């Protein structure tokens, strides 16, 4: 037996806990191990928060209507969450209508490269006996992007991509563990 569902949600902060609770309820009912459920629910919350924040045109003034009034594009105010649970794996996909992800190298600058460049620039500039100055580890202190790192840590497989046309897609999966007597474990 397997379960799948899809939610079309408004890009509002209140939709994030709604999606998370829906996933947790499904996993509890099916009998998924609570630790696995928690990991997936945190990853889902991060993906949904990104869709709410970056998933479309917030102005809502994108195109002219029939009588000259402006109206929002069809999908700019919503995003989609789809979850598939089967006997071995849970796959979750969050898709929005935003500008999509930039090239991968722009998403993840190599912190060790920037750290090395900083050391090269400052070598010889410090007084004798002074401790070297180190650049901060950027992924930990960066204002954005930490949610994507967290998703990568919590899931077994992750894919960040763009939909044809416009929009980002975050999909991730995790191998499921089941409680004794779980409904889906057949």
């Amino acid at each position: 037996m397997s379960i799948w569902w899809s939610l079309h949600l408004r890009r509002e902060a209140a939709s994030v806990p709604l999606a998370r609770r829906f996933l947790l309820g499904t996993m509890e009912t099916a009998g998924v191990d609570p630790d696995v459920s928690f990991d997936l629910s945190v990853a889902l919350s991060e993906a949904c928060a990104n869709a709410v924040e970056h998933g479309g045109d917030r102005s809502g003034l994108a195109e002219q209507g029939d009588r000259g009034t402006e109206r929002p594009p069809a999908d700019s105010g919503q995003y989609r969450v789809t979850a598939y649970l089967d006997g071995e794996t849970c796959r979750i996909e969050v898709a929005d209508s935003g500008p999509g992800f930039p090239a991968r190298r722009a998403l993840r600058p190599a912190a060790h490269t920037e750290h090395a460049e900083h050391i090269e620039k400052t070598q010889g500039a410090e007084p004798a006996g002074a401790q070297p100055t180190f650049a901060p580890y950027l992924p930990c202190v960066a204002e954005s992007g930490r949610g994507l790192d967290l998703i990568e840590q919590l899931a077994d497989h992750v894919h960040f991509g763009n939909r044809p046309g416009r929009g980002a897609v975050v999909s991730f999966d995790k191998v499921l563990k089941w409680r004794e007597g779980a409904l889906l474990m057949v």
Side-chain angles (χ1 to χ4, degrees):
M1 178 167 50
S2 64
I3 297 173
W4 77 269
W5 49 259
S6 186
L7 301 173
H8 293 259
L9 300 165
R10 289 185 185 168
R11 287 184 43 243
E12 297 173 357
S15 69
V16 177
L18 175 67
R20 181 178 176 145
R21 287 183 194 133
F22 201 87
L23 177 68
L24 284 170
T26 301
M27 296 182 127
E28 171 68 24
T29 301
V32 175
D33 177 79
D35 291 335
V36 173
S37 297
F38 179 78
D39 287 352
L40 283 169
S41 71
V42 171
L44 174 63
S45 295
E46 292 297 332
C48 290
N50 281 344
V52 168
E53 181 68 25
H54 307 289
D57 179 16
R58 281 239 181 241
S59 70
L61 303 175
E63 58 185 85
Q64 293 288 331
D66 293 338
R67 291 183 258 208
T69 59
E70 296 187 29
R71 64 177 190 213
D75 286 341
S76 70
Q78 55 186 304
Y79 66 101
R80 185 187 75 237
V81 176
T82 306
Y84 306 90
L85 280 82
D86 65 29
E88 298 176 6
T89 307
C90 177
R91 170 167 284 254
I92 297 173
E93 180 178 286
V94 178
D96 64 43
S97 303
F101 288 106
R104 182 71 173 159
R105 67 180 182 280
L107 268 180
R108 305 271 188 249
H112 66 277
T113 303
E114 292 182 22
H115 179 71
E117 289 172 3
H118 178 75
I119 290 173
E120 286 175 14
K121 288 178 187 175
T122 60
Q123 276 186 347
E126 297 165 349
Q131 294 294 329
T133 305
F134 295 102
Y137 179 64
L138 293 177
C140 293
V141 297
E143 184 65 26
S144 64
R146 290 178 288 194
L148 300 178
D149 287 334
L150 188 56
I151 293 168
E152 287 178 324
Q153 294 299 315
L154 294 170
D156 294 327
H157 299 97
V158 180
H159 176 73
F160 304 114
N162 293 320
R163 293 189 325 177
R166 184 167 185 211
V169 178
V170 175
S171 61
F172 52 94
D173 59 59
K174 189 165 184 81
V175 173
L176 297 175
K177 294 180 193 172
W178 298 94
R179 294 189 323 256
E180 186 76 27
L183 293 177
L184 288 183
M185 198 171 156
V186 178

